[in-house]
Amino acid sequence: MPVNQESPAFIALVQASAGAAGAVFASLVLQPVEVAKTRIQISHEGDDSTLETMRKIAVADGPLGLWLGAGGKCTENGAKNFAYFYIYDWMNAVVKQYMAVTTSAKLVLGYVAGVGNTLINMPLEVISTKMQLDDAKGLGTLGMLRRIIQDDGVGALYTGLGYNIALCINPAIQNTILDKLKETILRQMKRRNPEVTPALTAFQAFTLGAFAKAVATVVTYPLVRLKTNLPLGRSCSCVDMIP
């Protein structure tokens, strides 16, 4: 049976697969920074820079210590990006068949996709965060899953669910900003050269994505900081986040 390449499901599958592959590669490359960030966020002092924290980890645990929990993080981010982009692009394609997708509509679609993604993949996030700690050495993803369930019960896999639901605005903001920037740039390129179909270069796409992610992260970072402490079993409240 031939595949309908114009169907919302097929378009969503292509976008989701590309997003998942990119996320796995980025996670592998950036894992040392992720490990250092997690260590800084759970420390009481927080005085060391990212590079200094990475140096201390490499000295104490060897270079491979910087990739502690890489398997879990790659699995988490690959699954999260696949689920998010599949839900988002499928809904976006369906809505386009009936109405123009405005900026506010994209923000809503992004948030709904984020909520669905969170409900599916939150256990992987809890597991990958715990695997970046010192006491997780030698444990794989399944080993950490068993430890969490044995020690704290299945409910621990959804610790901080409320904060994660709130943080679904992060990818919504990121993708809305990215889409608007892409539309603006492509429109300008088309205006300058109407005979050529405009397309972003890899560098342009990377730069726009990084900028959109930075804006979304700055807006939601207080919740990110709070959420990081929750899977670690710390008692933490919103008051604790006030300097």
Side-chain angles (χ1 to χ4, degrees):
M1 179 181 296
V3 177
N4 181 6
Q5 298 186 1
E6 299 298 325
S7 71
F10 181 79
I11 294 172
L13 178 62
V14 172
Q15 296 289 342
S17 299
V24 170
F25 177 77
S27 297
L28 191 60
V29 172
L30 297 175
Q31 183 65 9
V33 177
E34 183 69 25
V35 171
K37 183 192 75 173
T38 300
R39 297 285 180 89
I40 291 172
Q41 288 177 332
I42 66 173
S43 68
H44 292 289
E45 298 83 6
D47 294 330
D48 290 336
S49 65
T50 301
L51 289 177
E52 178 62 17
T53 302
M54 291 169 63
R55 186 192 68 79
K56 288 183 176 180
I57 294 172
V59 170
D61 304 328
L64 290 180
L66 294 170
W67 274 269
L68 186 65
K73 197 65 180 177
C74 287
T75 301
E76 173 204 343
N77 284 341
K80 285 170 65 176
N81 275 266
F82 184 89
Y84 178 83
F85 282 108
Y86 188 89
I87 297 171
Y88 177 79
D89 284 294
W90 179 79
M91 290 192 303
N92 194 43
V94 170
V95 171
K96 279 183 177 178
Q97 296 176 353
Y98 301 98
M99 58 179 285
V101 182
T102 62
T103 300
S104 58
K106 287 184 177 181
L107 196 60
V108 172
L109 291 177
Y111 183 77
V112 173
V115 171
N117 171 46
T118 294
L119 295 175
I120 294 170
N121 290 305
M122 189 174 170
L124 283 173
E125 183 175 352
V126 174
I127 292 169
S128 68
T129 300
K130 288 214 171 198
M131 287 179 66
Q132 293 169 19
L133 305 181
D134 288 324
D135 62 353
K137 294 175 184 177
L139 284 177
T141 302
L142 292 179
M144 180 56 73
L145 173 62
R146 284 193 295 268
R147 174 189 283 186
I148 294 172
I149 293 176
Q150 289 172 359
D151 293 348
D152 304 312
V154 176
L157 296 172
Y158 287 90
T159 301
L161 178 61
Y163 295 101
N164 270 0
I165 295 296
L167 275 170
C168 290
I169 196 63
N170 184 301
I173 293 172
Q174 178 185 345
N175 280 283
T176 301
I177 293 174
L178 181 58
D179 285 345
K180 293 303 293 183
L181 290 175
K182 284 168 58 179
E183 289 176 6
T184 301
I185 292 175
L186 292 175
R187 192 182 306 117
Q188 292 175 348
M189 293 170 65
K190 184 68 174 179
R191 188 178 299 120
R192 287 196 299 265
N193 194 347
E195 298 179 357
V196 177
T197 301
L200 296 179
T201 64
F203 178 76
Q204 287 173 324
F206 174 81
T207 303
L208 293 181
F211 175 76
K213 181 63 176 178
V215 173
T217 300
V218 169
V219 171
T220 59
Y221 186 76
L223 277 175
V224 174
R225 175 73 170 85
L226 177 58
K227 184 194 70 173
T228 300
N229 282 278
L230 291 176
L232 306 176
R234 293 170 174 265
S235 60
C236 184
S237 67
C238 293
V239 177
D240 295 326
M241 300 304 301
I242 302 175

